């Protein structure tokens, strides 16, 4: 039995034949089919735009990933090469440091030995000098203890470098003196023979003193050379260690950068593979949907044509006229359903159709609207239409449930991607802010160090100018004092000569005959004045020499305080210029270190900023797919649940 379904129609006081009613239903079906065809075209255009835009985005992402992979491979190669080069340089520096430290140890051991030799030799010289001094003392005593003097002489000979011939000569002379006979005449000769021996003792003492002085100078030179060598080696070790620390830090940075690049390459490669697969799946899905759309549109086109042809046939005189003549009219007051049989099954089908239409209107559901249209189209088909409707409802429920699962997975994926992206953006933003602050802090520190160094250089320059001026003044003062001392000595000699001449004359004239003894009265005053003048010149010499010593001492003290390093009373003294120069060098090293650190931080800042930009780009790409400004996920879930519940209710109607 065939079932004819129709949209709600209300006709008051009008009479229509069954044929006219069928034509009305067919016209409604045709209008709906045309409307759905246009709606399908609009939806397919939107879907095509989605396929095109998404495919383009994936292509761009694949191209960007391939470029990034090439760059990362190049970066990994570079960082690994840098690490290997720095490792070789570090190994070379380790060798230099070890060699320098070995040289320092060897120099120290040699210095300890040299100092021990010096102290032993210096003690020998001191004993020789003491022995000679004791010998001289014994020879000068009244009893002239020659035997003890010879004993001291032998003791001195054990520690001295005086020629053996000299020692032998002195001993022979002592032996001759000791063998001289006693007696008054011989005592004078005995005493007179000791004088040359004492002089030779003194000469030997002078030679030994000179040898001791030379030894002290050699020791001072060796000590100074050792200090210079240790300073050079210490500076070299400190410099090499600083270089090693810098290179070790740079190598660690290179290794870290290589590891980060390898990790990023792995992630980029995985993302690239996912994008390639997604693009392939998308193209296949879009192609399949295009083919299905073409088939649906062709079916709709054929449906519209068939309905139109049917309307033309039913509206012709062959059908319409015969129906008006032979078929009774039907009065329809408020019915949604015309049945050719009035059995209970038709009532159930009518109620189901009305239920589907109400849900399509109330839920604004295209799914129920499409179901109503399909139910209407099935009503004119052969067989059991409700079995087909039941199958359609079951298929719709399956499709909606499948869409719900897919959307849940997509929503879960979106939530994860958005969460991970937000964490990355927050972390990179914080790192960018921190690195920016670090770079600014290092820049300010470097600027202050450079300013301090410039001030120190200005101070060193001023000290240099002051030292140059002090040297010029000192040289002029020294020349003037030297000239004054020389003049004083010359004047004293001349005055002394004059005094000697006058004293000689007046002493001689005082005993001369002839009644004239010279101007003895006046000479006394003149001689007194000359003695005063000589005393004045002597005082001038003494005062000038004292002034020269004070000036030389003050100049030396100023130069040591203002200049480099020197020795005062055996102790090393370093002046302000040397200290400031060392401070400048120290600050320069610190500037270099901070500049290197600043460059590293700037590179880290650039890299982190790039990562932040990439995270922002990923977020911009996630927004269209995961953040829908129209219908929310919850609204779509609720709509789908209502549709599924309503479809299940429709199935219950069929099964009643």
């Amino acid at each position: 039995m065939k079932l004819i379904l129709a949209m709600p129609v209300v006709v008051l006081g009008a009479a229509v034949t069954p044929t006219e009613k069928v034509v009305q239903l067919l016209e409604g079906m045709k209008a709906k089919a045309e409307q759905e065809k246009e709606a399908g075209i609009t939806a397919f255009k939107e879907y095509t735009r989605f396929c095109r835009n998404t495919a383009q985005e994936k292509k761009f992402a694949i191209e960007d990933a391939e470029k990034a992979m090439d760059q990362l491979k190049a970066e990994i190669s570079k960082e690994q090469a840098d690490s290997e080069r720095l490792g070789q340089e570090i190994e070379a520096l380790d060798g230099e440091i070890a060699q320098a430290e070995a040289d320092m140890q060897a120099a120290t051991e040699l210095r300890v030995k040299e100092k021990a030799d010096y102290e032993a030799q210096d003690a020998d010289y001191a004993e020789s000098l003491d022995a000679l001094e004791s010998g001289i003392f014994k020879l000068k005593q009244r009893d002239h203890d020659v035997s003890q003097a010879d004993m001291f002489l032998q003791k001195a000979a054990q520690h001295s470098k005086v020629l053996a011939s000299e020692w032998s000569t002195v001993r022979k002379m002592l032996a001759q003196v000791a063998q001289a006979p006693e007696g008054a005449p011989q005592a004078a000769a005995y005493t007179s023979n000791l004088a040359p021996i004492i002089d030779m003792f003194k000469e030997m003492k002078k030679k030994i003193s000179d040898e001791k002085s030379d030894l002290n100078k050699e020791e001072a030179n060796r000590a100074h050379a050792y200090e210079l060598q240790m300073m050079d080696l210490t500076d070299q070790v400190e410099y090499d260690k600083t270089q090693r620390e810098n290179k070790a830090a740079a190598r660690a940075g290179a290794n870290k950068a290589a590891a980060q690049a390898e990790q990023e390459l792995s992630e980029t490669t995985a993302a690239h593979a996912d994008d390639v697969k997604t693009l392939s799946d998308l193209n296949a899905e879009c192609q399949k949907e295009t083919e299905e759309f073409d088939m649906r549109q062709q079916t709709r086109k054929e449906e519209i044509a068939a309905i139109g042809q049917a309307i033309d046939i039913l509206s012709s005189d062959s059908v319409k006229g015969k129906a008006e003549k032979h078929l009774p009219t039907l009065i329809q007051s408020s019915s949604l359903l015309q049945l050719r049989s009035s059995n209970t099954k038709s009532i159930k089908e009518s109620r189901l159709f009305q239920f589907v239409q109400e849900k399509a209107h109330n839920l604004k559901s295209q799914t129920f609207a499409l179901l109503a249209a399909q139910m209407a189209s099935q009503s004119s088909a052969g067989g059991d239409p409700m079995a087909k409707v039941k199958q359609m409802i079951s298929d719709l429920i399956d499709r909606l449930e499948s869409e719900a699962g897919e959307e849940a997975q997509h929503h879960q994926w979106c939530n994860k991607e958005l969460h991970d992206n937000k964490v990355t953006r927050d972390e990179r933003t914080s790192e960018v802010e921190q690195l920016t602050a670090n770079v600014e802090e290092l820049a300010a520190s470097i600027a202050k160090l450079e300013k301090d160094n410039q001030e120190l250089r200005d101070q060193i320059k001023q000290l240099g100018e002051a030292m140059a001026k002090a040297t010029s003044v000192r040289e002029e003062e020294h020349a003037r004092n030297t000239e004054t001392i020389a003049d004083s000595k010359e004047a004293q000699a001349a005055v002394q000569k004059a005094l000697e001449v006058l004293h000689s004359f007046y002493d001689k004239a005082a005993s001369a005959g002839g009644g004239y003894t010279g101007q003895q009265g006046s000479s006394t005053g003149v001689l007194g004045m000359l003695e005063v003048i000589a005393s004045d010149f002597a005082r001038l010499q003494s005062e000038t020499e004292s002034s020269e010593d004070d000036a030389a001492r003050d100049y030396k003290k100023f130069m040591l305080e203002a200049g480099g390093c020197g020795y005062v009373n055996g102790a090393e003294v370093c002046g302000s210029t040397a200290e400031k120069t060392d401070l400048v060098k120290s600050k320069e090293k610190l500037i270099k270190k901070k500049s290197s650190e600043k460059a590293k931080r700037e590179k880290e800042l650039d890299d982190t900023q790039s990562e932040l930009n990439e995270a922002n780009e990923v977020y911009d790409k996630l927004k269209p797919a995961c953040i829908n400004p129209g219908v929310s996920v919850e609204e779509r879930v609720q709509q789908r649940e209502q549709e599924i519940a309503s479809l299940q209710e429709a199935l219950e109607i069929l099964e009643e």
Side-chain angles (χ1 to χ4, degrees):
M1 183 177 295
K2 293 185 178 180
L3 175 68
I4 300 176
L5 300 176
M7 298 296 291
V9 178
V10 179
V11 181
L12 300 176
V16 295
T17 66
T19 304
E20 291 173 341
K21 184 61 180 175
V22 171
V23 170
Q24 291 176 1
L25 291 173
L26 289 174
E27 287 176 347
M29 291 171 59
K30 181 180 179 182
K32 186 173 182 180
E34 290 175 344
Q35 182 181 2
E36 289 179 350
K37 181 181 179 183
E38 293 301 320
I41 292 173
T42 302
F44 182 72
K45 286 181 179 179
E46 184 65 27
Y47 181 76
T48 302
R49 186 181 301 108
F50 163 77
C51 289
R52 183 174 59 253
N53 293 340
T54 305
Q56 189 65 36
E57 289 178 0
K58 289 300 177 184
K59 288 179 181 178
F60 287 152
I62 291 170
E63 292 174 0
D64 292 342
E66 289 173 349
K67 291 179 182 178
M69 288 162 64
D70 291 339
Q71 292 176 353
L72 287 169
K73 289 176 181 177
E75 182 180 353
I76 291 169
S77 178
K78 176 183 176 299
E79 296 296 347
Q80 289 176 343
D82 289 345
S83 176
E84 183 176 358
R85 174 181 56 79
L86 289 167
Q88 294 173 353
E89 293 176 358
I90 289 171
E91 185 176 353
L93 284 171
D94 287 338
E96 293 179 5
I97 292 170
Q99 183 60 48
E101 290 177 344
D103 292 344
M104 291 171 66
Q105 182 177 357
T108 301
E109 292 174 355
L110 178 60
R111 179 66 198 121
V112 170
K113 183 178 181 303
E114 288 178 346
K115 185 167 181 61
D117 292 343
Y118 158 74
E119 290 175 348
Q121 196 169 357
D122 185 67
D124 288 346
Y125 279 129
E127 291 181 8
S128 296
L129 290 174
D130 290 342
L132 288 172
E133 185 66 30
S134 299
I136 294 171
F137 176 75
K138 289 296 181 180
L139 290 173
K140 286 183 177 181
Q141 286 182 334
R142 295 178 64 89
D143 54 359
H144 307 297
D145 193 341
V146 176
S147 61
Q148 287 195 15
D150 183 62
M151 180 186 66
F152 287 120
L153 183 63
Q154 292 181 41
K155 185 177 180 181
Q158 295 175 0
H159 305 285
S160 173
K161 294 182 180 180
V162 177
L163 293 177
S165 58
E166 296 180 359
W167 295 111
S168 178
T169 301
V170 175
R171 293 197 67 192
K172 287 179 181 179
M173 294 176 66
L174 281 173
Q176 291 175 359
V177 173
Q179 293 173 0
E182 297 182 358
Q186 287 79 8
Y190 179 84
T191 303
S192 63
N193 289 333
L194 289 177
I197 296 174
I198 293 173
D199 291 338
M200 291 191 72
F201 266 58
K202 291 180 178 179
E203 184 64 24
M204 291 177 181
K205 180 182 177 183
K206 182 178 182 302
K207 287 183 179 181
I208 294 174
S209 296
D210 293 340
E211 290 176 4
K212 188 174 185 298
S213 178
D214 293 340
L215 178 65
N216 291 336
K217 290 179 181 179
E218 290 175 2
E219 168 63 14
N221 291 334
R222 283 193 293 266
H224 183 61
Y226 167 75
E227 291 172 355
L228 292 177
Q229 182 182 11
M230 294 301 289
M231 287 175 62
D232 291 340
L233 290 173
T234 301
D235 290 343
Q236 179 185 342
V237 169
E238 290 179 354
Y239 176 76
D240 288 345
K241 286 184 177 179
T242 301
Q243 290 293 102
R244 190 193 186 286
E245 290 176 0
N246 294 338
K247 291 182 184 296
R251 187 186 186 193
N255 291 336
K256 180 180 179 182
Q260 290 176 345
E262 288 175 348
Q263 177 65 25
E264 188 174 351
L265 176 60
S266 175
E267 295 173 355
T268 304
T269 303
H272 174 267
D274 289 342
D275 288 339
V276 170
K277 184 178 183 302
T278 301
L279 179 60
S280 176
D281 295 343
L282 178 68
N283 289 334
E285 181 180 349
C286 291
Q287 180 63 30
K288 179 182 178 182
E289 181 63 26
T290 300
E291 294 173 356
E292 292 177 354
F293 169 77
D294 292 339
M295 293 172 62
R296 289 195 301 272
Q297 291 299 97
Q298 181 63 29
T299 301
R300 287 193 179 101
K301 181 179 178 181
E302 293 174 356
E303 180 185 17
I304 292 170
I307 292 174
Q309 186 177 359
I311 291 173
D312 292 341
I313 293 171
L314 293 174
S315 300
S316 66
D317 291 336
S318 299
V319 178
K320 183 178 180 182
K322 300 297 189 291
E324 291 175 352
K325 182 179 179 181
H326 299 289
L327 297 177
T329 59
L330 299 175
I331 304 301
Q332 188 174 8
S333 59
S334 176
S335 177
L336 297 174
L337 186 60
Q338 282 293 337
L339 301 174
R340 291 185 179 183
S341 66
S342 57
N343 54 27
T344 31
K345 182 177 178 181
S346 299
I347 296 172
K348 182 189 297 184
E349 293 167 350
S350 175
R351 187 160 65 89
L352 175 63
F353 182 76
Q354 184 178 4
F355 174 79
V356 170
Q357 282 193 319
E358 288 177 355
K359 291 299 180 181
H361 175 73
N362 295 336
L363 298 178
K364 296 182 178 58
S365 170
Q366 292 183 356
T367 300
F368 276 90
L370 178 61
L371 177 61
Q374 290 175 336
M375 288 175 64
S377 66
Q378 291 294 333
S379 66
S380 60
D384 186 359
M386 286 302 99
K388 295 181 179 180
V389 170
K390 184 177 181 180
Q391 183 62 42
M392 284 190 297
I393 293 174
S394 298
D395 292 343
L396 283 174
I397 291 174
D398 292 340
R399 182 170 68 84
L400 289 173
E401 289 176 345
S402 176
E403 289 178 355
E406 292 175 357
E407 184 169 22
Q409 292 179 356
H410 178 72
H411 181 60
Q412 183 179 5
W413 177 83
C414 282
N415 287 341
K416 180 179 183 304
E417 292 297 319
L418 288 171
H419 173 268
D420 294 345
N421 180 263
K422 184 176 185 304
V423 171
T424 300
R425 286 185 289 118
D426 292 343
E427 289 177 352
R428 297 300 174 269
T429 300
S430 177
E431 291 173 2
V432 165
E433 293 174 353
Q434 182 61 44
L435 287 169
T436 301
N438 291 343
V439 170
E440 292 175 352
E441 182 180 352
L442 286 169
S445 178
I446 292 170
K448 185 173 187 309
L449 288 170
E450 289 175 343
K451 180 182 178 183
D452 294 343
N453 258 8
Q454 186 56 48
E455 292 177 354
L456 287 171
R457 291 189 186 97
D458 292 340
Q459 294 173 7
I460 292 171
K461 181 180 178 182
Q462 294 172 1
L463 284 171
E465 293 173 351
M467 290 167 65
K469 183 176 180 181
T471 300
S472 176
V473 171
R474 178 67 194 113
E475 289 174 349
E476 294 177 359
E477 184 181 33
H478 176 68
R480 185 169 58 253
N481 288 339
T482 300
E483 182 180 2
T484 300
I485 292 170
D487 291 346
S488 298
K489 290 180 178 179
E490 183 180 355
Q492 288 181 74
V495 171
Q496 187 63 35
K497 183 65 175 177
L499 283 170
E500 291 175 356
V501 171
L502 291 175
H503 274 298
S504 177
F505 170 76
Y506 284 112
D507 288 344
K508 184 179 179 182
S511 59
Y516 182 72
T517 60
Q519 303 179 45
Q520 295 288 343
S522 299
S523 66
T524 303
V526 171
L527 291 173
M529 291 179 64
L530 287 175
E531 289 175 352
V532 171
I533 292 172
S535 175
D536 289 341
F537 277 120
R539 186 176 65 256
L540 176 61
Q541 175 186 347
S542 175
E543 291 176 353
T544 304
E545 288 175 345
S546 176
S547 176
E548 171 66 16
D549 292 341
D550 292 341
R553 184 172 54 257
D554 293 341
Y555 170 73
K556 183 176 181 181
K557 180 180 178 183
F558 169 74
M559 294 299 285
L560 285 174
E561 290 176 350
C565 297
Y567 289 88
V568 177
N569 297 329
E572 185 180 26
V573 178
C574 291
S576 180
T577 300
E579 293 175 351
K580 293 180 185 297
T581 302
D582 290 342
L583 190 56
V584 167
K585 291 179 180 178
S586 175
K587 288 181 180 291
E588 286 175 346
K589 290 182 179 178
L590 190 56
I591 289 172
K592 185 177 180 181
K593 182 177 180 181
K594 285 183 176 288
S595 299
S596 175
E597 181 70 16
K598 179 172 173 284
K600 286 169 56 180
R601 290 292 177 268
E602 287 174 340
K603 184 178 184 303
E604 291 179 6
L605 176 60
D606 292 340
D607 294 343
T608 307
Q609 184 64 54
S610 298
E611 294 176 3
L612 177 59
N613 294 339
E614 291 176 2
N616 288 331
E617 292 174 1
V618 171
Y619 178 68
D620 292 337
K621 293 178 181 178
L622 287 173
K623 284 194 291 187
C626 297
I627 303 177
N628 191 342
V631 181
S632 66
V633 175
E634 291 75 13
E635 291 173 340
R636 287 199 302 273
V637 170
Q638 183 180 6
Q639 172 80 10
R640 190 178 292 107
E641 290 176 349
Q642 290 176 347
E643 290 177 345
I644 292 173
S646 298
L647 288 171
Q648 291 173 342
E649 187 176 350
L651 284 177
E652 293 175 357
I653 292 174
L654 285 174
E655 293 173 354
E656 288 179 354

